[in-house]
Amino acid sequence: MTYTSIRTNFANRGPVQPTDGAASVLIVDDNADSLRSLEMLLEPLGARIVTAESGLEAIRLLESEQFAVVLLDVQMPGMDGFETSASIRLQEQNRSLPIIFLTGMSTTPE
């Protein structure tokens, strides 16, 4: 199985499409260690893994690429996971995209 991790630079990046037919998974988390852990967990599945370190970066990726699922951290600075998912749902092509919310810990009782 092959595994690809892609970091993005918006100024120099055009649309990226999978070339081997593997499903693409978008992981969104502001914590680099969490991103790497999730990448390692998904690696055996043979999925194409794309990471984003912010909600804004994820939204930009989703404007030009198709993903099978988004794994989205709830607690991020700036745009949190709930705000990010609401923005994702505003894009017509992503209204039915599966989004799985993840969090490592909670800072509030709720």
Side-chain angles (χ1 to χ4, degrees), residues 62-66 88 91-97:
L62 286 159
E63 289 173 350
S64 62
E65 298 184 44
Q66 292 185 338
I88 290 169
Q91 297 173 349
E92 182 67 35
Q93 71 274 19
N94 294 318
R95 292 230 168 99
S96 62
L97 176 66

Side-chain angles (χ1 to χ4, degrees), residues 11-29:
N12 300 320
R13 188 181 80 67
V16 178
Q17 299 301 323
T19 57
D20 61 359
S24 295
V25 176
L26 177 59
I27 305 172
V28 187
D29 199 314

